[in-house]
Amino acid sequence: MEFTTKQAGTLYEQLFIAESIRRGLQPHVPIGDYLPHDIVVYGKDGVCHRVQVKGTHTHVYDRKYNKTARYRITAATGSQSKTKINCEQVDVLACYLATWDMWYIIPCIHIKSACVWLYPTGKRGQYEKYKNNWSIFEKEKDGSEEPSFSG
């Protein structure tokens, strides 16, 4: 079944909520969809994290690097002109790769541009260290600590 963009976004948000609960976190969904974040997660340490959820099931082949499948997430807001996520309004970008059933949990302050490229099969890529980085919800949200690699 094909989904509209809005349907896919709703599905990714619901999957994030379910995974958060499974991991012992407390997700809260704001009423309406006018805020820059989709979900507020209360971490195990009691810290509140504003999360923007994005996802994709479409890959692009990287011709430069052995035709490795990579995935593009637009880390931006706005319908006409895209503006990089504002880290004063969002703490974490949660990226879901549907084909891999995999999450990248990226602190907003580490996002460099409005486009995030993810390489689930490869070792390279600036965001690979955030693969399944659910431990971010156990730390202070200033992003100063390195992520753990437990999944």
Side-chain angles (χ1 to χ4, degrees), residues 14-51:
Q14 296 303 310
L15 289 169
F16 179 84
I17 291 167
E19 186 64 21
S20 296
I21 293 169
R22 189 181 78 74
R23 291 176 177 270
L25 303 170
Q26 300 299 317
H28 296 263
V29 180
I31 296 173
D33 62 354
Y34 55 89
L35 295 171
H37 58 274
D38 298 312
I39 299 165
V40 176
V41 174
Y42 289 90
K44 292 179 181 178
D45 57 1
V47 175
C48 177
H49 304 267
R50 298 164 297 177
V51 180

